């Protein structure tokens, strides 16, 4: 029971910093929902055929999304309902509807065979907000506590699950340096194909020269992911967030894959910003902060 | 009391979501967005297949169906970002399609439409990578399709309908 109490912070008194931080986090989620909606909307119009049906696409033929700008209409609807959710119009249902439409958008965009995980954390955060507004509609503080606890739980689980998948898929030899060589070769093709050329960076050259550097890099990533469940605990959260951010930068420097949204989200939720706001910012004295706080309470 | 009720409710919602999460990923090969078992990079050292598109001139058409290494690729590599096409989509399209029906072939054409409208001659390759016996990466490029504004020719080795 103590684990859940600490996860959902039910014994803590609400603070101004917490309310402000929560609304900033919610704004971040909504901005990325809009970004994906309008990035994928036009892209879906270029698709001609479902190659790999994911999610709901296994039961419904989503090829209707590929023509007549239907995906752009869907992007518009996602935007409207996401903004409704943010400004608490139809609060109980708006994020749930956004989530359903966003799922349809995702399975249409990734119907060509790629399984992208770039938007999964934004999707999980949207789900948390949707459930919070549905089940705790009348209590902003409980809603905030539930949202963050839910996200900490499923983010931690997700990273640990990624490490376990590697141990099951390959075994303890997963971090061998030659595996990173093969991935760098794979990425050299991808980067050439995307941009027309590929030149390895200094870190990639070192890894290709010294196999043990590749092994060290992969071992660090595997260990950081495995301990993802430390996200569940208040005291260890900043440390594991830092390790995971370092891991994501490692993936970027060795394999040219930038999980930028993961890094932003870890930065926003991995550190005790609410406590720091309460401690170091006087929300009553600074007119801009005071206004922002009032606004965040109005749409809490 | 109210705090306790709220805690119980939060736990229940989280656990029910966890069960639904588990059921969905267990019955949908590990993926039901936004739920996932996050299996990326779990198969280390396994061979992979990607894609690359080369813009060629008419003189290079004779060498159409030759499997080659990176240095032997004819023409100039097309930067797919400039066409707003993600290379993963073409790579997966090639690797996950077993029988190349006319509709599947036109699906690849549709992705490259912006380039074909400019009268380009394109050769779509599948890149195949694996570790050699001495653990060095080795790459080969297998041509799949030749596209021009009004022509589609597939590699005779592909299964077509």
């Amino acid at each position: 029971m103590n684990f859940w109490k600490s996860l959902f912070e039910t014994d803590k008194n609400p603070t101004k910093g917490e309310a402000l931080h929560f609304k900033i986090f919610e704004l971040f989620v909504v901005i990325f929902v809009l970004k994906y909606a309008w990035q994928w909307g036009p892209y879906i119009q270029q698709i001609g055929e479902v190659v790999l049906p994911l999610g709901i696409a296994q039961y419904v033929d989503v090829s209707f999304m590929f023509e007549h700008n239907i995906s752009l209409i869907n992007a518009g609807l996602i935007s409207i309902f996401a903004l409704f959710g943010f400004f608490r119009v139809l609060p109980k249902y708006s994020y749930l509807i956004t989530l359903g439409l966003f799922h349809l958008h995702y399975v249409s965009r990734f119907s060509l065979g790629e399984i992208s995980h770039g938007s999964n954390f934004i999707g999980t955060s949207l789900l948390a907000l949707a459930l919070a507004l549905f089940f705790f509609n009348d209590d902003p503080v409980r809603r905030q506590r539930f949202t963050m606890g839910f996200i900490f739980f499923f983010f931690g689980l997700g990273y640990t699950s990624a490490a376990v998948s590697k141990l099951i898929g390959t075994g303890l030899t997963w971090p061998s340096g030659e595996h990173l060589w093969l991935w760098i070769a794979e990425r050299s093709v991808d980067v050439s194909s995307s941009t027309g050329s590929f030149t390895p960076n200094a870190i990639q050259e070192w890894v290709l020269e010294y196999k043990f550097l590749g092994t060290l890099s992969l071992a660090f990533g595997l260990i950081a992911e495995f301990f993802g469940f430390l996200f569940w605990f208040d005291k260890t959260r900043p440390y594991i967030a830092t390790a995971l951010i370092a891991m994501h930068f490692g993936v970027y420097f060795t394999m040219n894959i930038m999980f930028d949204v993961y890094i932003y989200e870890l930065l926003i939720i991995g550190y005790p910003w609410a406590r720091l706001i309460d401690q170091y910012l006087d929300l009553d004295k600074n007119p801009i902060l005071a206004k922002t706080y009032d606004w965040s309470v109005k749409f809490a | 009391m109210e705090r306790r009720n709220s805690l119980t409710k939060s736990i229940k919602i989280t656990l029910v979501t966890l069960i639904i999460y588990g059921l969905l990923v267990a019955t949908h090969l590990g993926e039901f967005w936004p739920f996932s078992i996050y299996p990326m990079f779990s198969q280390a050292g396994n061979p992979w297949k990607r894609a690359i598109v080369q813009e060629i001139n008419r003189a290079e058409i004779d060498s159409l169906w030759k499997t080659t290494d990176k240095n032997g690729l004819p023409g100039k590599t097309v930067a797919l970002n400039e066409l707003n096409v993600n290379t993963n989509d073409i790579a997966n399209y090639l690797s996950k399609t077993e029988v190349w029906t006319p509709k599947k072939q036109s699906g690849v054409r549709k992705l490259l439409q912006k380039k074909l409208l400019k009268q380009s001659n394109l050769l779509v390759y599948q890149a195949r990578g694996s570790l050699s016996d001495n653990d060095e990466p080795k790459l080969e490029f297998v041509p799949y399709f030749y596209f021009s504004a009004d022509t589609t020719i597939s590699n005779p080795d592909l299964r077509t309908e």
Side-chain angles (χ1 to χ4, degrees), chain A residues 1 4-5 8 10-13 43 45-52 54-56 58-59 66-67 99 102-103 106 109-110 112-115 117 119-121 123-124 127 131 135-136 139 142 146 150 153-154 157-158 161-162 165-166 169-170 174 178-179 181-183 185-186 188-190 192-196 198 211 255 257 259 262, chain B residues 2-11 13-15 17-18 21 27-28 30-53 70 77-93 96-97 101 103-104 107 110-111 114 127 129-131 134-139 141:
Chain A
M1 205 60 171
W4 295 107
K5 254 189 194 173
F8 293 110
T10 38
D11 287 344
K12 270 173 71 177
N13 289 324
Y43 196 97
Q45 292 299 300
Q46 300 181 116
I47 299 174
E49 172 87 348
V50 175
V51 177
L52 179 73
L54 292 169
I56 197 78
Q58 293 185 26
Y59 309 100
F66 304 160
E67 307 286 345
L99 187 72
F102 199 8
H103 179 89
Y106 175 89
R109 165 61 187 86
F110 295 102
L112 287 174
E114 186 200 356
I115 299 173
H117 295 100
S119 61
N120 281 57
F121 274 15
T124 305
L127 172 66
L131 292 175
F135 288 107
F136 299 95
D139 188 340
R142 302 276 165 265
F146 168 78
F150 184 96
F153 183 77
F154 283 102
L157 187 70
S161 167
S165 293
K166 289 175 177 73
T170 305
W174 186 87
E178 71 271 16
H179 297 156
W181 286 351
L182 189 58
W183 280 318
E186 183 177 0
S188 75
V189 174
D190 281 343
S192 297
S193 182
S194 300
T195 65
F198 171 78
K211 188 172 154 183
M255 292 200 271
I257 300 173
F259 283 96
Y262 283 55
Chain B
E2 196 194 323
R3 281 183 177 184
R4 196 174 171 78
N5 286 345
S6 143
L7 178 62
T8 312
K9 195 171 168 185
S10 298
I11 297 170
I13 300 166
T14 305
L15 291 180
T17 307
L18 183 64
Y21 189 141
T27 51
H28 293 81
E31 300 290 341
F32 197 98
W33 187 95
F35 304 134
S36 171
I37 57 165
Y38 297 99
M40 57 275 207
F41 302 113
S42 61
Q43 311 266 317
N46 277 11
W48 46 257
K49 291 172 179 170
R50 309 301 300 160
I52 199 160
V53 181
K70 197 163 189 188
T77 302
V78 175
L80 293 174
N81 281 356
E82 290 171 14
L83 310 180
N84 188 30
V85 171
N86 191 320
T87 181
N88 294 336
D89 287 327
I90 296 197
N92 283 295
Y93 208 129
K96 293 201 165 91
T97 302
T101 61
K103 202 174 173 193
K104 294 271 187 205
K110 192 177 174 191
L111 287 171
K114 282 182 197 156
S130 58
L131 281 175
N134 57 350
D135 284 342
E136 298 276 343
K138 58 174 185 186
L139 269 77
F141 293 79

Side-chain angles (χ1 to χ4, degrees), chain A residues 236-254:
Chain A
T236 49
R237 198 170 300 134
Y239 301 105
I240 193 64
T242 307
L244 290 168
I245 290 168
M247 186 265 299
H248 282 304
F249 273 110
V251 172
Y252 174 64
F253 289 124
T254 54

Side-chain angles (χ1 to χ4, degrees), chain A residues 9-236:
Chain A
E9 296 188 322
T10 38
D11 287 344
K12 270 173 71 177
N13 289 324
T15 69
K16 288 185 173 184
E18 185 184 2
L20 183 60
H21 173 252
F22 181 80
K23 206 62 194 174
I24 291 169
F25 168 69
E26 190 180 342
L27 178 65
F28 160 80
V29 174
V30 169
I31 286 172
F32 271 86
V33 168
L34 298 185
K35 175 185 175 274
Y36 287 126
W38 289 104
Q39 201 174 312
W40 297 346
Y43 196 97
I44 293 167
Q45 292 299 300
Q46 300 181 116
I47 299 174
E49 172 87 348
V50 175
V51 177
L52 179 73
L54 292 169
I56 197 78
Q58 293 185 26
Y59 309 100
V60 178
D61 180 4
V62 296
S63 58
F64 72 91
M65 291 280 285
F66 304 160
E67 307 286 345
H68 311 300
N69 293 327
I70 305 273
S71 57
L72 297 177
I73 295 169
N74 197 44
L77 289 172
I78 290 171
S79 308
I80 291 167
F81 283 105
L83 291 171
F84 274 11
F86 187 76
F87 291 108
R88 305 293 186 252
V89 180
L90 294 174
K92 217 170 168 183
Y93 303 101
S94 43
Y95 279 144
L96 275 177
I97 297 169
T98 311
L99 187 72
L101 296 170
F102 199 8
H103 179 89
L104 177 65
H105 222 49
Y106 175 89
V107 299
S108 305
R109 165 61 187 86
F110 295 102
S111 59
L112 287 174
E114 186 200 356
I115 299 173
S116 164
H117 295 100
S119 61
N120 281 57
F121 274 15
I122 290 295
T124 305
S125 306
L126 184 61
L127 172 66
L129 287 163
L131 292 175
L133 276 164
F134 188 81
F135 288 107
F136 299 95
N137 192 25
D138 51 351
D139 188 340
V141 176
R142 302 276 165 265
R143 197 157 64 217
Q144 290 160 13
R145 300 277 166 85
F146 168 78
T147 305
M148 298 317 289
F150 184 96
I151 290 172
F152 294 149
F153 183 77
F154 283 102
F155 275 27
L157 187 70
Y159 277 112
T160 302
S161 167
V164 171
S165 293
K166 289 175 177 73
L167 292 172
I168 293 172
T170 305
L172 287 172
T173 58
W174 186 87
S176 293
E178 71 271 16
H179 297 156
L180 189 51
W181 286 351
L182 189 58
W183 280 318
I184 291 174
E186 183 177 0
R187 293 299 300 157
S188 75
V189 174
D190 281 343
V191 174
S192 297
S193 182
S194 300
T195 65
S197 63
F198 171 78
T199 310
N201 62 36
I203 291 173
Q204 287 166 330
E205 281 180 352
W206 293 337
V207 167
L208 292 169
E209 179 87 24
Y210 305 105
K211 188 172 154 183
F212 78 95
L213 288 177
T215 305
L216 274 180
S217 162
L218 291 180
F220 172 77
L222 183 65
I223 292 167
E225 280 190 338
F226 185 81
F227 286 102
F229 66 87
L230 294 179
F231 224 87
W232 297 345
F233 310 101
D234 194 28
K235 281 189 182 151
T236 49

